[in-house]
């Protein structure tokens, strides 16, 4: 099969298409022939070495396709089943293995490419809005990168729960997308101070929660945007890692909460994974959750896909097509 391999960390140019042996399922596993592969910023971190992986490796964990082989002890899925997963073992490839308990069945009404596009970012938006800080009617929230893959989904879910949404974006085009997704107020951070705007819009009090996937460049401002006893949910670091923080800062700024969640801990059991995934697919089928696929690339152009992701050119999901 063909797969993207990384032999040394570095820029997008280290992503190379190679011929490698086909994977074979082990106990509790299935092999999926991928039809669409989801790109996520964690693969940029892995490629650059910020998150370390043993070299060489095939990046990626998200994708969707059809099961082609299963381990001898597997009965939950069979060849031909359409499935999606965020736990594929190297999804930048034509074929990938995955633990069966991490495979999500795709309903007939949902296209395979759509399942690949929504799963990781949709599950993330789901746990952020329903579990990490459960939004309720009238909650004020600030969502950074509101026109990104997670941001557009999170805006929609937040509005469906009755929250009042402030979204930060970099361009007028992205502002329009965030507004269409349900953001009540848009802040163009290239022209406006998002802290001042968050304070102004909430009558000086601040928001109850900030969902921050940007990290280094927004972290201090995110803290300063919070109301007393508010929560900063730091779930990414697209601008770079946040430096060490003195916990006393949380006290002086209003007895704030800081959490750094990850999807793994919010889909720890199969029942939790399936419950969140079913919600997403149900919302898609009902037309209440729109998934924006911004662009697709052939697998061989994985480097170009990474450049678009890192350059903040994207407005929604980026997919690789084997």
């Amino acid at each position: 099969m063909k797969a993207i391999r990384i032999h040394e960390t570095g820029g997008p140019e280290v992503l190379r298409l190679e011929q490698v042996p086909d994977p074979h399922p082990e106990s509790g596993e299935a092999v999926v022939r991928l039809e669409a592969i989801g790109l996520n910023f964690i693969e940029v971190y892995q490629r650059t070495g910020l998150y370390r992986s043993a070299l060489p490796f095939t990046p990626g964990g998200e994708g969707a396709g059809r099961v082609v082989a299963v381990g001898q002890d597997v009965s939950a899925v069979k060849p031909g089943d359409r499935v999606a997963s965020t736990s594929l073992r190297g999804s930048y490839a034509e074929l990938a293995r995955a633990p069966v308990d991490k495979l999500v069945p795709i309903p007939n009404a949902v296209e395979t490419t759509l399942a690949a596009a929504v799963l990781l970012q949709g599950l993330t938006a789901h746990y952020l809005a329903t579990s990490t800080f459960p939004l309720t009617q009238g909650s004020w929230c600030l969502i950074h990168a509101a026109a990104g893959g997670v941001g557009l989904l999170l805006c929609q879910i937040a509005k469906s729960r009755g929250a009042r949404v402030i979204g930060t974006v970099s361009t007028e085009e992205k502002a329009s997308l965030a507004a269409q997704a349900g953001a009540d107020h848009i802040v163009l951070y290239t022209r406006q101070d998002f802290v001042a705007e968050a304070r102004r819009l909430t009558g000086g009090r601040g928001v109850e929660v900030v969902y921050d996937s940007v990290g280094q460049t927004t972290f201090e401002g995110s803290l300063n945007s919070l109301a007393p006893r508010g929560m900063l949910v730091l779930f990414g670091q697209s601008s770079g890692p946040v430096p060490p923080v003195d916990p006393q800062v949380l006290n002086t700024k209003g007895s704030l909460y800081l959490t750094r969640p990850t999807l793994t801990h919010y889909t720890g059991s199969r029942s939790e994974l399936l419950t969140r995934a079913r919600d997403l697919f149900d919302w898609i089928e009902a037309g209440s959750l729109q998934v924006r696929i911004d662009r697709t690339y052939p697998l061989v152009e994985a480097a170009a896909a990474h450049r678009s992701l890192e350059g903040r050119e994207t407005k929604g999901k980026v997919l690789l097509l084997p």
Side-chain angles (χ1 to χ4, degrees), residues 42 45 51 120 123-129 131-133 150 154 209-213 231-237 257-267 276:
I42 189 171
Y45 303 151
Y51 291 177
L120 191 144
L123 290 171
T124 299
H126 189 289
Y127 84 71
L128 291 174
S131 299
T132 307
F133 186 97
V150 174
L154 185 53
V209 60
V210 177
Y211 297 109
D212 190 340
S213 63
M231 178 182 288
L232 170 51
V233 181
L234 182 68
F235 69 99
Q237 49 189 33
Y257 295 88
L258 170 63
T259 184
R260 179 59 174 90
T262 189
L263 178 61
T264 301
H265 299 135
Y266 285 86
T267 52
R276 296 191 193 281

Side-chain angles (χ1 to χ4, degrees), residues 252-308:
T252 58
K253 291 183 181 295
S255 297
L256 304 180
Y257 295 88
L258 170 63
T259 184
R260 179 59 174 90
T262 189
L263 178 61
T264 301
H265 299 135
Y266 285 86
T267 52
S269 69
R270 179 156 180 77
S271 62
E272 188 174 28
L273 169 64
L274 292 180
T275 296
R276 296 191 193 281
R278 285 192 195 106
D279 280 350
L280 294 175
F281 292 145
D282 286 348
W283 295 337
I284 290 170
E285 288 186 51
S288 59
L289 185 68
Q290 303 298 316
V291 181
R292 178 182 172 85
I293 299 174
D294 182 70
R295 59 190 77 183
T296 62
Y297 292 88
L299 184 60
V300 67
E301 295 180 17
H306 270 229
R307 290 188 186 98
S308 68

